[in-house]
Amino acid sequence: MNPLLTRLQPYPFERLRQLCADITPPPAFRPISLGLGEPKYPTPEFIKQSLAGALDGLAHYPATAGEPALREACAGWLQRRYGLHVDARTQVLPVNGSREALFAFAQAVIDPARQPVVVCPNPFYQIYEGAALLAGAQPHYVASDPARNFAVDWDSVPAPVWARAQLLYVCSPGNPTGAVMPLAEWSKLFELSDRHGFVIASDECYSEIYFTGEPPLGGMEAAARLGRTDFRNLVSFTSLSKRSNVPGMRSGFVAGDAAILKQFLLYRTYHGSAMSPVVQQASIAAWNDEQHVVENRAMYQRKFAQVMPLLGPVLDVRLPDAGFYLWAGVGGSDTAFARDLLAQYNVTVLPGSFIAREAANPPGQPAGNPGAGRIRMALVAETAECVEAAQRIVQFVQSRNSRHS
Ligand SMILES: Cc1ncc(COP(=O)(O)O)c(C=O)c1O
């Protein structure tokens, strides 16, 4: 077997299962999970109909590059959403959800012979780490700073690490922090990329769920604003899963540097990751419609507006810029909080330390795991259920506090 497989970490939900294996939650409370970041709203009817209406497509092998009509639909969306002008033939590629693409990308980009480093945020989406390890690279974790709206502390990366960096994952809006990277931060990363030659993989799968008046800045949008219209060394990863409530459809696209996408397409041809023609048709319908996205976003905004006033007074938490997570400080052990909350109130949350790693943190921040003492709550269930979970958390925190005082 590939020895690198042994370096993979257990997935956070497996660790959560083990953490809570001996707990029998109180049956008086119905179970509510804020653990998994999976959208729960129904898939729009027109997308389902489009899938059903495209079944004849099953009689053909799809091209790995996707149908021109799908690539045009993706390019059209980039134009409407970010004002970008991209060549659908060379700068866009459909992928089967951003997860597989984020993983496969590292395999295509990394040269394992040159002691590669993959730089990624901390906390982070665990696929970055697994992708780096299986590509033969060493991950370098960069802590996000709670004092600066969880901005990742890129300045803390030592020069020798940048010198070996071949790939940088950024996640904006961030999972779990919800932080959106501003233009100045993009500018800094582009400069570093120019100096050291690494590729930037920009994971933007939460870009359509936001709470500020302004839609999150995209990586390619930032590049274009800074005059980098060839998107050199930049590839963005976009997904329908959260935007259109179709995580089961497995559809997204990558866009950016044409020279890199050409090589990525070559890799994907051998990897065998063409998108089903049926899914391609439904994806065209989804990218071409914005009304359902507006409604979806409004549902999240209403839900967060109801939950925040409940949790704000009892946890160290604030409304994120975007995404559907709350990243809350619990003032103690995150694993003990998650266990006790489940044991007493039948609410599941994800301990923050499970989605971050021990690392040397920047000056001013304590060493260790930047997720420790925090929990991630995915507000994906219906509003009433999330409000009920928040009310139980309030009771839980208050009873804990009164016991400790
Ligand atoms: C940060 C981040 N990136 C990528 C993904 C993958 O999404 P998908 O493969 O459904 O596009 C997820 C899923 O939860 C995520 O949280």
Side-chain angles (χ1 to χ4, degrees), residues 117-130:
V117 168
V118 171
V119 178
C120 70
N122 194 19
F124 62 102
Y125 180 51
Q126 191 157 315
I127 298 302
Y128 312 152
E129 179 187 64

Side-chain angles (χ1 to χ4, degrees), residues 37 97-100 102 125 128 171 175 203 205-206 239 241-242 247 250 325:
S98 52
R99 179 184 182 136
E100 67 90 359
L102 286 160
Y125 180 51
Y128 312 152
C171 187
N175 169 5
D203 180 354
C205 69
Y206 295 96
S239 170
S241 298
K242 281 96 178 163
R250 312 312 300 131
Y325 301 107

Side-chain angles (χ1 to χ4, degrees), residues 16-17 23 27 30 37 48 67 116 148 158 167 197 251 275 279 311 316 340 367 371:
L16 182 60
R17 204 188 54 74
I23 294 175
R30 68 187 171 120
K48 290 198 268 188
E67 291 292 326
R148 292 188 299 118
L167 177 62
S251 179
M275 182 185 287
V279 173
L311 293 182
D316 171 17
D340 294 348

Side-chain angles (χ1 to χ4, degrees), residues 166-189:
Q166 292 185 15
L167 177 62
L168 165 70
Y169 283 107
V170 299
C171 187
S172 174
N175 169 5
T177 65
V180 171
M181 277 189 13
L183 191 64
E185 209 173 318
W186 279 109
S187 176
K188 174 185 296 194
L189 292 181

Side-chain angles (χ1 to χ4, degrees), residues 352-382:
S353 57
F354 289 3
I355 48 173
R357 295 286 177 262
E358 295 278 337
N361 289 334
Q365 282 193 56
N369 184 320
R374 292 192 171 272
I375 54 167
R376 192 190 77 175
M377 292 172 276
L379 299 193
V380 287
E382 291 292 341

